[in-house]
């Protein structure tokens, strides 16, 4: 194993460790009430004129087996709550 | 003494071969580890700690791609004769479920590190300086197609709203609940357009009415359609597919 291999492995491990730390920080931040946040956002939302058959499996080739269309909405709500919290903190820092 | 000298000379002579063998061993061990991972199948990849490591490696990959990204290098552009007709539709739902957004009540919501975060109506957006591009959309699924999109350079829009251009990310929320985010370097790239037209027509619903962010420097799933809200932040926002394990940077 030459020096290049060792350096590459060290760089990859260090990068992975830093990212794992960042992920833990994000995951550890309080998320608030997802449904409430989404509800507040929905008030100002423009009309969407047709429903989606949310309880059906997803289309397309990016999905994994078992993924449903409604999963996107659920994930979006969780993410929205998490980001709003994080962004509030950013604005307070300003 | 003689024997020792001989060993020394042998060792010096065979050093490159030993290095080769060690390199082979390194590769073989790597392959064995890969094979072990395959043998154990889903159980290993579903494991939470393995997922964390894979996710961390993917984020490291993002950083490498970001470091290699040239903000001045342009993606190829094509003549209109090269446009793919019909242009394929692709989403996580069928074409019959495409989101129909009401243009009259539409407002683009802005938040985060933006000085003037007032909502924008469609006529206000259409009044911004427009430009067109004929570029190739490359899908992570393995197909590609050439299309013509028109709209405002995203950099111009970000400057107009007083976005913090030193921030790390721009995030998007869409009418079909899809969400994604991009790096600021790509947001400021000259070919990144906030588009309102496809093939010289107001963006049809199936291609993302009222607006789609078009980036020929990124894979198709990074180009959000039906954008309802956007935000500028320094907190990593991920994206729907990205949170499922697809690479976040996804340059094309």
């Amino acid at each position: 194993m030459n020096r290049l291999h060792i350096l590459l492995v060290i760089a990859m491990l260090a990068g992975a460790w830093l990212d794992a730390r960042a992920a833990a920080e994000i995951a550890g931040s309080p998320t608030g009430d997802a449904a409430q946040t989404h509800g507040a956002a929905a008030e100002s939302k423009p009309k969407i004129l047709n429903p989606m058959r949310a309880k059906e499996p997803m289309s397309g080739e990016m999905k994994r087996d078992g993924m449903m269309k409604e999963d996107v909405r659920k994930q979006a709500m969780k993410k929205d709550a998490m980001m709003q919290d994080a962004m509030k903190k950013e604005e307070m820092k300003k | 003494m003689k024997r020792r000298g001989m060993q020394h000379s042998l060792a010096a002579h065979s050093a490159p071969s030993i290095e080769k063998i060690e390199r082979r061993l390194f590769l073989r061990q790597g392959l064995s580890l890969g094979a072990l991972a395959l043998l154990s199948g889903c159980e290993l990849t579903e494991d939470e700690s393995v997922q964390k490591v894979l996710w961390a490696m993917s984020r490291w990959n993002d950083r490498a791609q970001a470091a290699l990204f040239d903000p001045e290098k342009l993606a190829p552009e094509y003549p209109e004769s090269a446009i793919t007709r019909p242009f394929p539709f692709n989403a996580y739902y069928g074409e019959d479920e495409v989101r129909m957004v009401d243009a009259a009540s539409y407002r683009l919501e802005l938040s985060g590190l933006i000085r003037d975060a007032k909502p924008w109506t469609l006529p206000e957006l259409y009044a911004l300086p427009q430009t067109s591009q004929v570029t190739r959309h490359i899908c992570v699924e393995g197909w590609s197609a050439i299309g013509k999109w028109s709209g405002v350079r995203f950099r111009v829009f970000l400057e107009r709203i007083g976005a913090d251009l030193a921030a790390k990310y721009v995030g998007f929320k869409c009418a079909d609940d899809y969400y994604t985010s991009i790096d600021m370097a790509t947001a400021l790239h000259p070919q990144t357009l906030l588009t309102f037209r496809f093939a010289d027509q107001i963006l049809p619903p199936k291609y993302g009415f009222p607006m789609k962010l078009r980036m020929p420097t990124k894979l198709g799933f990074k180009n959000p359609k039906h954008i309802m809200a956007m935000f500028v932040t320094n907190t990593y926002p991920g994206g729907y597919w990205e949170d499922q394990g697809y690479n976040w940077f996804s340059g094309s």
Side-chain angles (χ1 to χ4, degrees), chain A residues 29-50:
Chain A
S29 66
T31 54
D33 184 347
Q36 201 179 354
T37 314
H38 195 80
E43 280 172 27
S44 62
K45 266 191 174 179
K47 277 184 264 175
I48 295 165
L49 305 170
N50 58 330

Side-chain angles (χ1 to χ4, degrees), chain B residues 1-91:
Chain B
M1 185 77 180
K2 196 177 171 189
R3 202 171 153 195
R4 220 166 143 195
M6 215 166 95
Q7 272 178 347
H8 182 75
S9 117
L10 251 175
H13 194 68
S14 57
S17 311
I18 289 169
E19 198 178 319
K20 260 187 205 165
I21 291 167
E22 281 186 348
R23 202 174 296 161
R24 268 185 223 149
L25 195 68
F26 177 76
L27 286 171
R28 208 170 56 202
Q29 281 169 347
L31 286 173
S32 307
L33 197 66
L36 186 69
L38 284 173
L39 273 175
S40 52
C42 297
E43 278 177 34
L44 180 61
T45 50
E46 299 280 318
D47 184 88
E48 201 182 326
S49 54
V50 174
Q51 286 292 327
K52 272 185 191 161
V53 172
L54 291 174
W55 187 88
M57 293 307 290
S58 184
R59 291 293 293 131
W60 188 83
N61 184 319
D62 289 335
R63 285 218 286 260
Q65 286 188 72
L68 294 171
F69 180 72
D70 180 347
E72 301 302 322
K73 190 176 177 191
L74 301 180
E77 299 210 11
Y78 301 86
E80 294 202 16
S81 58
I83 291 173
T84 308
R85 292 191 172 90
F87 192 85
F89 164 81
N90 199 29

